[in-house]
Amino acid sequence: MKKLLFVAVASILVAGTALASPGAESKGASGGGGGSTFIGIAMPETHVLRWTKDGASLKKFAENKGFRAQDQYANADQNLQNTQIQNFLTQGARAIIIGCVNDGVAAAVADAARDKVTVIAYDRIIPNSADYDYYITFNNFKVGQFQGQGIEKGLNLKSATAENPKYITLFAGSPTDGNAFFFYDGAMSVLNPYIKSGVLKVVGPYPETSKDTANFQRIATENWLAPTAKTRMENLLNADAKDVVLDAVLAPNDTLARAIIEACKADAKYAGKLPVVTGQDAEAASTALIKNGEQYMTVFKDTTKLAEAAILLAEAAVKGTTPNIPGAVLASSIGLADIGNTGKKVVKAYLLDPVIIYRENWQDPVNAGFYSQDEIAQNGLK
Ligand code: BGC
């Protein structure tokens, strides 16, 4: 069905409305820059702030290199993203950088391959496709390990006992996003031993790993939508967690962490003390909550560096040179080649390193120049 719809959309575009892209949410719709080689930037959504920043950084770095570039955002709708990719192809793109919504993107990637256009999977792997060669991301298992370590530290699990256990509830990201599995498995690699020894008790569903698909689905947050996580947290507080005080919540990113914190704040039981809540992305609004002690930690992924690295990769691919990407390691060189496994092929995966952020080092992303002046001012990050 998905495929049929895509074919229909594609033929309409080919029929002559290529640049119109009805309904496409476009930022920076102008090609920009004076260069002639065109790079398309297809980002998945705007409701998680990082993607608008990623898109803008990618465009800026591409233009600095003399490329023409355009960034498009898919509103978590793969059909829309496929239309946007098709549009880039019609405009003669030589490379397309894709943060996909889900595996439905493979059809558009196949079209790009047919046109000999380089595709770079950006941050999220493009699953079930043998039609591209490069993936650039962070070490996402490590991101999850950091979240697990945050809980270990926040609850002082190393000295906790089964007589006086700590209580946690678990959330995961979108099951349509390969990263969500790495984040969860990384976190649980730290937490499972404490659960097994009885010092940490799970309230609500407990998938030991993401391979427990049925339970993973129950804790997952489709399309990373904050209202979904908030409602689930409210439901937990009124049901499974009614008779306990939660000490921690595993939250996969900052957008969801803040929704979970909001739900807890509305419950009188947590008026004096919020649970330890994890996060990811170092969004300015969450860094502010870490600074004031309401969110326990986040994981800073310097996406400005990721964008810069992706453009270096695109440049090398377009020019047919060997990529040299400072700050990124080849996953295969550190025994993690499988990160590039699409299910149909192992692509070359480049990894950047995440950084763990607690209250004591909340200034790290500020010092790295990660926030705009507006973000700093609006969130009191001085
Ligand atoms: C990214 C995270 C982001 C999440 C939701 C993941 O693929 O790695 O940084 O928070 O998507 O957009």
Side-chain angles (χ1 to χ4, degrees), residues 136-153:
I136 187 150
T137 189
F138 287 86
N139 183 335
N140 292 314
F141 189 81
K142 201 172 193 180
V143 169
Q145 281 177 312
F146 282 170
Q147 293 170 337
Q149 286 164 15
I151 287 167
E152 183 182 51
K153 175 171 144 121

Side-chain angles (χ1 to χ4, degrees), residues 283-299:
E283 287 187 10
S286 277
T287 301
L289 293 188
I290 292 171
K291 188 182 168 207
N292 78 13
E294 290 187 2
Q295 184 176 322
Y296 189 71
M297 59 81 71
T298 188
V299 180

Side-chain angles (χ1 to χ4, degrees), residues 21 75 133 150 166 202 216 246 264 267 271 273 321-322 374-375:
S21 181
N75 199 20
D133 298 314
K166 306 285 184 186
V202 179
F216 187 79
L246 288 171
C264 292
D267 184 322
K273 188 171 179 283
T321 57
T322 309
D374 277 357
E375 282 179 304

Side-chain angles (χ1 to χ4, degrees), residues 138-142 182 329-341 346-347 349 351:
F138 287 86
N139 183 335
N140 292 314
F141 189 81
K142 201 172 193 180
F182 281 105
V329 294
L330 257 182
S332 57
S333 74
I334 51 169
L336 298 176
D338 211 48
I339 286 183
N341 192 344
V346 178
V347 298
L351 302 181

Side-chain angles (χ1 to χ4, degrees), residues 232-256:
R232 177 163 178 256
M233 189 67 208
E234 286 164 353
N235 291 342
L236 278 162
L237 291 171
N238 290 320
D240 292 359
K242 201 170 171 52
D243 301 321
V244 291
V245 177
L246 288 171
D247 299 292
V249 182
L250 175 68
N253 78 355
D254 286 348
T255 304
L256 304 188

Side-chain angles (χ1 to χ4, degrees), residues 45 48 50-51 123-124 177 179 183 224 253 281 301:
E45 64 206 24
V48 174
R50 64 159 289 183
W51 298 109
D123 196 86
R124 299 176 174 176
D177 175 354
N179 287 346
F183 301 148
W224 297 93
N253 78 355
D281 290 337
K301 303 189 300 186

